Amino acid sequence: MFGNLFEEDEEEGLSSTSSKGRVSKVGEEPPPHRGRSNLCGIKNQGGTCYLNSLLQTLLFTPEFREELFRLGPEELGCLEDKDKPEAKVRVIPLELQRLFAHLLLVDQQSASTASLTDSFGWNSSEGTNQHDVQELNRILFSALEHSLVGTSGSAFIDRLYHGTIVNSIICKECGNVSQRQEDFLDLTVCVCGVCSLEEALWNMFVEEELFEGNNLYRCAQCDRLVTAAKSAKLRKLPPFMTMSLLRFSFDFAKLERYKETGRYSFPLTINLRPFCEQVDGDDSDYSYELFSVIIHKGGCYGGHYHVYIRDIDELGRWEPPEEERKPKTQKKGKEEVKEKPQLKLNGDDPLSIFTSIIAEESLKSVLLDQLGQKLMEKTGSSWNKKFKKQYGPIAKFLQSHSDVFLLVCNGTRVALKANLPSPEAEPCSPAELTTNCDPSTTPDPGASEHLGPNQKPEPEQGSHWFDLNDSTVMSIRESDIEKQFQGKESAYMLFYRKTQLHRPSEALNNPQYKVPSQLIQMAEEENIKLQKMREAFEASNNTVELCLHLAPYYRLENGALQSISKESNGYTALSFDRRKSVGDLRLAIYQMQELWEGDMALTVAKSLPAGLHLYNTLTDDNISLFSAGIQSSTHLFVWNGREVCGATVLIGAEWEPVLLTVVRPSFDDVEYEMEDGVECEDNREGFENGSPGLKREARGFAGGATLGEVREALGEPKESLLCQEHNGGKRREQGAGEGGGSSGWRVFPHDDMQRTLKELSLKDGDALLVLEPQSFDSSVFTLNGDVVTVTTPSDCRWLQVELHPPVTGGLVEQEEEIKKIKVPATGSMLLCEVKQRAIEELQLQDQTPGAQYCLRQTDCTGKLLPPVCEELSVRDAGVRLMTTLSLCLGNAPKASQLFLHFTMGAAPSAGMEIDIIVEKTCTVKECLKAMLDVVGLDGTCWHLRRLDWCEEVGEPLMDEDASLSELKISNGETLVVTEGRLPPKVLQCFQSDCRFMFLIVSFTFIPLFFPYQGFLKISVWLYVDPLNIQTDFNHSENGPALEKTMTAGKINSLFAGKGTELRSMGQVEISDEATLEELKTQILTLPALQDVCVPATGFMRVWQLEGGRPARILRGQQVTLRKLKLTSGMDLCVQQLLKEEDLGPKEVLLNVKMGIPGEKCYYPSEELVWDASHDSSPRCLRTCLAAHYGLSPDSLLLAKHQPDKHIWEEICSWTHVSKKKKKKKAESLLGAPFHLKDGDTVGIKNLLIDTNRNFITLEDEQGQQRLREQQEQRRKGGNAADSNSAGFQKNGGQTKTRKPEVALSISVGQFK
């Protein structure tokens, strides 16, 4: 009846469920345990909250549940045989049985209804469509009755819910009574105009309706029109009375639906005697008590269902609501403090403190994980700080005093042995669902005496209420029901049961009561399976990989531990459970090392550049690895705790070693290092430009060692000077090109000899120059004050030139012999002179006369870099002295030229790159022509593309008239010559004047043409505006046979202008399992869209249209169309972008435009992506816009444009108080009242220069005038507005396009 009117709230849909647990290393995280309430929720399939609420109500109707469980396999069949043609399996009641058993017995936070809805014959889209819960109640009962035909349970729905109403009409003249009986399973009562359920029932069954005046009644006995009175009475009362409240009505004046949100009260117990035909029975025959309230939150076009339920059989664990469990901050009066007995505490005795804490609790027990917090509140000091050193962990202390303390409730609470908590306050845990529980225990009668003045007494047995909201279950008080009398969140269906229906004592707190044995066994197997999954998950999540370093394989060297063996990694890998203790780990290592003798110490180590260093030793064998801070990949050093190979090891952060580079003068090794080629270069890189006058050596020293001790360890005399690099970064940068320059070192003063390396802020990699006094006799070292200047000697001013054979793909062939020669050079020497000297010494002019050579550098992988410009000097070209240059065949570029690589049609690969030299001022078109000339091609169907960061073919060079320098094409860059023309100017117009190209995509599902479900047939439309687009697309002759044209009348003014039209580009057929990326790719394959140039699918933005307006952007390239909830009838709009885009789930695309001061208009709008994932408040949006425009956030005034009503809604802060918890909710622009979404327009006013706070434009004023005229025409009964404004309603808004209303149905087989 109501179809899809009750869709989920948009705010509900935007909320994302995030896992609060740890991320699993392997496999999927198992479902969590039941919550504190010990009740199981039901998962929402997307829009099935109405189904979940009704199913929970039926589950907590014990008589319904037991009648269903009474039906065995001999009557219903087995689900395993449902696919057999000859078997008559009643699937719906069987699936309902399984679901109820799962909800009762399986230790899981929430159950799934997927199997049940499959038995209904619902497809995947039904799970996202929400229906009316009253309609579902009637259809589900009808489906059950049809499914149970021919069984002993065929009439149990009738026995529990069936009642009758008798309608009577009494003739006022002859007294003749005409009666008609009606059956009902639920009563629909009026809400409009009444304030309570009793008043509505009084109007239905007590008040009489008179037929008089023009509305007379024809009496069969009088045979004429007479005055009569009509009334109705309840003739038969069912055991369960269901009341449906007519919250949703239709306003015939405004022609729209609305929800009644006024106050409508209903009693917890009601006596129906005044409304019955027979009133001679006992009061118990007419008395009913409320046990379930289904609540609807939202409006008439969207909302959410949840249910309040009374736990009649006491299956759940009721606790005071969360706000009542929070500690009170207010101080108590002196009188109250005097009345409460105070125990004398010994502040140094934890036994007396814990005894006092537990005794003062009303439940006489304390949660184990809250005991430490209560101790801190009591004494002002934590357990770890005051008692742990003497008594160990709290759990160990409690175990050692087992004569005083007792762990109860599966080890989660601690109580005193002399005063145990009552079972009423602590029922069985979820893990004990399928084990025995004692339901006969009664609560402590004196428990209420311990309640404080602000605490409410706990409800009586069988009066516990819970709020079941899909997967969430919370305890509530009976008084919370009154909050659902009125408002947008209010009662929708009421369920009453007769007070004379009593439950047997064995049913209380016993979820297995009347459950068939095969379902109990199924639940036990499921619990075992879940337990194994959780254990495996916990084991995998708590397994840490440890790196064990054994002392016999290490020696102390240079202040750090070094591995004796250089071949192995030096450690042994060990997988261990971090929940186990340090003692368990020590025992495991003992078992691994059978030959270990003596003590074993485990010390946390860390691998540093200087070597392995030790920090803290694990001394407490009783604590777990987790408590000790041991994580995966932690390094542990196994030793005796004193020495390694006879050397004492200093541990701790203060002795952390530092790896220094010790630099000494060394002129004797110059020639040796020169002859060593590449080794010389690598050995000297970074120090004095590789000067051969300096020799380096890496040495490690303890961070706590003084500088004097370091000098001693180096074997230097006391008169030696130690120097530190002075402005090393600038020195290297300045001297990099010349090699014959100088650098400065700062001499450490004498006082620094007593300071440690840590105090001097020396760190790994720092250089330390060691000079003896005689070092200053040479010209290399000069002392000026406290600065030593090091001058590079002249004998290191050279460049090595290698003659390479022809290269392939930029890689040097190693098979042929490479000739090397050293050429004397300085920083000011031109590279052309270096090349000429190399050619002469290698005698290449005689071997290959007329050949052209160039000099090229190589990178660390041996790949040749672009040729250096020979017009520059060694210093200006950035070539360092004592490095190697390769002499290769080819021309060298000039200073005004670029050396480029290019390939044809694909990403570059070995041997496929072609080199070319072009001018920097050359345009893209000229460069392309030069490349085509090189390969011998011509024509215009080519364009150039760059490579992206992963060396794949990237974006095209769109502007063919731009120069290479303007496009920042650098030397050595690789371009790809790609076949095909660039997109025509019609697709590039949006780059300059902010117009966009849109493709309208409509979905049509045609099941007759496809043998498989889930196939979509998509029609692609191209939006064309002849006023703005001068060049049209050429339609292929092989395109669609039928050329379709659609006027843009139904497209919102945001897209369509005057004279616009939509042209059909063809159709694609695609599965709903295809991804969004595959959909984009298939659209681009249409013949009519061959001229559309899109480098990648990331350059396309796909909108979902609602009412011809873009409503949301489809996100996720690899998300399937089914998960994107694309169904038949939806329209999509594809927009081409200038750059790739990958929006996150909470990134909102807004059109923002700044108001022109003093005018009723705006500057052109801009697109802005607002990241609302962390903060979606107005302040965050204002800050984002302020950063975009470079203004102060406090000077901006924002407003959201509503094009339907031609008004602007100012965006400001607001306060929303939660109805239940009475606390402020975080402001979110994604929810009410603004509901910001993709494509919304946000106007901005800069209050510093614009004092006009009105956002209305001239177009808005004209639109409002049109709306007023339309409203006046409708009021006078005039004709409908013209076609350009036919979509607007009387309220001035555009008709919201909603999903088609689909009737709710449940498929049932034939059973006779």
Side-chain angles (χ1 to χ4, degrees), residues 829-842:
M829 187 176 182
L830 295 178
L831 285 171
C832 60
E833 298 178 20
V834 175
K835 183 183 74 171
Q836 186 62 31
R837 290 186 184 183
I839 292 175
E840 291 175 358
E841 294 193 24
L842 292 171

Side-chain angles (χ1 to χ4, degrees), residues 810-933:
L811 296 177
V812 179
E813 295 286 348
Q814 300 293 336
E815 297 179 358
E816 300 184 18
E817 182 181 356
I818 300 178
K819 299 179 180 180
K820 301 179 181 178
I821 191 172
K822 287 186 176 65
V823 177
T826 62
S828 58
M829 187 176 182
L830 295 178
L831 285 171
C832 60
E833 298 178 20
V834 175
K835 183 183 74 171
Q836 186 62 31
R837 290 186 184 183
I839 292 175
E840 291 175 358
E841 294 193 24
L842 292 171
Q843 298 179 357
L844 298 179
Q845 292 177 338
D846 301 333
Q847 298 177 10
T848 54
Q852 297 294 326
Y853 291 92
C854 61
L855 294 174
R856 303 177 71 168
Q857 293 178 301
T858 57
D859 60 10
C860 58
T861 63
K863 182 178 179 179
L864 289 174
L865 299 178
V868 294
C869 180
E870 298 174 1
E871 298 176 353
L872 302 177
S873 65
V874 174
R875 182 188 301 107
D876 295 338
V879 178
R880 295 176 56 186
L881 295 180
M882 294 192 312
T883 58
T884 301
L885 293 176
S886 297
L887 186 63
C888 306
L889 288 172
N891 295 322
K894 299 179 181 179
S896 62
Q897 293 177 332
L898 290 175
F899 181 86
L900 302 176
H901 309 286
F902 72 94
T903 61
M904 299 299 298
S909 58
M912 297 299 295
E913 289 185 350
I914 305 173
D915 300 335
I916 189 173
I917 297 176
V918 295
E919 296 291 333
K920 293 181 180 179
T921 56
C922 175
T923 64
V924 174
K925 185 181 296 184
E926 293 170 349
C927 179
L928 176 61
K929 185 178 184 306
M931 292 178 178
L932 293 175
D933 292 340

Side-chain angles (χ1 to χ4, degrees), residues 26 167 256 456 603 835 1019 1094 1165 1239:
V26 289
N167 294 293
E256 63 182 11
K456 299 179 182 179
T603 305
K835 183 183 74 171
S1019 298
V1094 178
S1165 63

